[in-house]
């Protein structure tokens, strides 16, 4: 009998083969387990980062809401209540009806302005590009504003979505007026069946986005964009103006 035909030799080779196969399988399982563990750890880190980011956005939302309440209270106290108090004082010291009528007219106008800021009139029936036009129009005297509505499809936005878009536009406009030092502003509103693009571009002094990227206003804009299932993008540099884009996906 040949040596390789010896049952003991055959059994030995079978045992060696089994050991090798088991060793290879264990090695493969270990590699797969290690890779799976690294993948799970990466997913957990990503999940923690997302949770922390969402928490920060919620905190920003609460602060923004409180800031808005404070602003409205200040408008009521310093604007409307102050004017009405003046009307009462004038009437007590014998002001003429014409003077009192003028002061009452100013008070009514102030009340309308505050009401317009809270909920724009005809919100349900006005198209979004007209609401933006009404928002920008009062600032034409202080800033050279070029507004370009690009309506490629008629869509029905909910009042909640219109309000969020208007609040985004108000925030961007406030940033331009208060902080940019710009003299010119280009606003583009593009509306299609699947998306909305809102672009603000100014010729102001710009800023370093790596320094101010976590500001309250910027976080508030990102929060509102996420509410609309959209994204907020900002590009700026010192001396080069600022370009802000809000892209909303309507197909999702």
């Amino acid at each position: 009998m040949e040596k390789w035909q010896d049952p003991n030799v055959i059994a030995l080779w079978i045992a060696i083969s089994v050991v090798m196969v088991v060793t290879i399988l264990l090695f493969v399982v270990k590699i797969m387990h290690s890779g799976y563990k690294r993948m799970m750890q990466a997913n957990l880190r990503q999940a923690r980062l997302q949770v922390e980011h969402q928490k920060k956005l919620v905190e920003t939302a609460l602060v923004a809401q409180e800031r808005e309440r404070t602003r409205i209270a200040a408008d009521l106290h310093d604007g409307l209540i102050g004017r009405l108090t003046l009307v009462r004082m004038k009437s007590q010291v014998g002001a003429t009806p014409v003077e009192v009528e003028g002061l009452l007219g100013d008070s009514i106008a102030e009340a309308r302005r505050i009401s317009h800021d809270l909920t724009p009139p005809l919100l349900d029936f006005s198209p979004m590009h007209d609401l933006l036009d009404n928002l920008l129009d009062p600032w034409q005297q202080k800033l050279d504003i070029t507004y370009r509505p690009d309506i490629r499809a008629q869509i029905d936005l909910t009042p909640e979505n219109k309000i969020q878009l208007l609040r985004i536009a108000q925030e961007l406009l406030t940033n331009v007026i208060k902080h940019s030092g710009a003299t010119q502003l280009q606003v583009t509103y593009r509306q299609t069946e699947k998306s909305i693009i809102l672009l603000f571009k100014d010729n102001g002094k710009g800023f370093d986005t790596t320094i101010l990227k976590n500001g309250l206003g910027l976080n508030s804009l990102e929060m509102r964009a996420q509410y609309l299932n959209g994204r907020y993008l900002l590009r700026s540099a010192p001396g080069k103006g600022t370009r802000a884009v809000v892209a909303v996906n309507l197909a999702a």
Side-chain angles (χ1 to χ4, degrees):
M1 178 183 296
E2 297 289 341
K3 186 175 182 181
W4 63 270
Q5 293 179 330
D6 188 339
N8 292 330
V9 174
I10 294 175
L12 177 62
W13 279 108
I14 292 175
I16 292 174
S17 299
V18 169
V19 170
M20 289 180 64
V21 170
V22 170
T23 301
I24 292 172
L25 287 174
L26 289 175
F27 183 71
V28 171
V29 168
K30 186 175 180 180
I31 291 176
M32 293 178 61
H33 180 266
S34 177
Y36 178 77
K37 185 176 180 180
R38 286 196 299 269
M39 183 181 68
M40 290 299 297
Q41 289 175 345
N43 289 338
L44 286 174
R45 284 195 298 270
Q46 184 65 26
R48 281 196 294 268
L49 289 175
Q50 290 179 350
V51 169
E52 291 175 1
H53 183 63
Q54 291 298 326
K55 181 180 177 181
K56 187 177 295 184
L57 288 179
V58 171
E59 292 173 352
T60 300
L62 295 174
V63 174
Q65 290 174 2
E66 189 61 32
R67 185 181 64 174
E68 199 162 338
R69 292 191 188 99
T70 302
R71 179 186 63 80
I72 294 169
D75 285 347
L76 289 172
H77 181 271
D78 300 336
L80 183 58
I81 295 177
R83 292 175 187 274
L84 292 174
T85 301
L86 181 60
V87 171
R88 185 176 66 177
M89 291 175 58
K90 288 288 187 179
S91 63
Q92 289 175 348
V93 298
T96 65
V98 174
E99 188 177 1
V100 172
E101 180 69 20
L103 292 172
L104 284 174
D106 291 342
S107 300
I108 292 171
E110 183 68 13
R112 284 176 177 169
R113 184 189 67 79
I114 296 172
S115 176
H116 185 279
D117 284 347
L118 292 174
T119 304
L122 301 177
L123 179 69
D124 291 342
F125 308 103
S126 299
M128 192 64 222
H129 60 277
D130 284 349
L131 293 171
L132 288 171
D133 192 16
N134 292 333
L135 172 68
L136 297 170
D137 185 64
W139 299 100
Q140 293 281 1
Q141 297 179 350
K142 294 186 177 181
L143 193 64
D144 182 10
I145 300 177
T146 302
Y147 176 48
R148 298 189 181 97
D150 182 8
I151 309 304
R152 304 186 180 187
Q154 299 298 327
I155 57 177
D156 293 326
L157 290 174
T158 65
E160 291 79 11
N161 287 349
K162 289 180 180 178
I163 281 289
Q164 293 301 324
L165 280 169
L166 281 175
R167 294 292 179 257
I168 288 174
Q170 284 177 329
E171 187 78 41
L172 293 173
L173 184 59
T174 299
N175 289 342
V176 172
I177 293 170
K178 289 188 175 181
H179 308 299
S180 73
T183 58
Q184 296 178 343
L185 172 64
Q186 296 179 15
V187 179
T188 301
Y189 175 76
R190 176 178 296 175
Q191 177 178 293
T192 69
E193 290 184 357
K194 297 183 178 180
S195 66
I196 286 175
I197 304 293
L198 180 61
L199 166 66
F200 273 60
K201 182 179 180 182
D202 66 57
N203 67 339
K205 59 187 178 183
F207 62 94
D208 187 347
T209 57
T210 61
I211 296 176
L212 298 178
K213 64 180 180 180
N214 292 322
L216 174 60
L218 302 186
N219 281 338
S220 176
L221 289 166
E222 184 179 355
M223 174 201 68
R224 295 186 189 278
Q226 286 195 2
Y227 175 86
L228 293 168
N229 190 36
R231 294 182 61 196
Y232 169 64
L233 304 173
L234 180 70
R235 289 185 179 180
S236 185
K240 295 185 178 180
T242 301
R243 178 188 179 96
V245 180
V246 176
V248 178
N249 182 11
L250 300 176

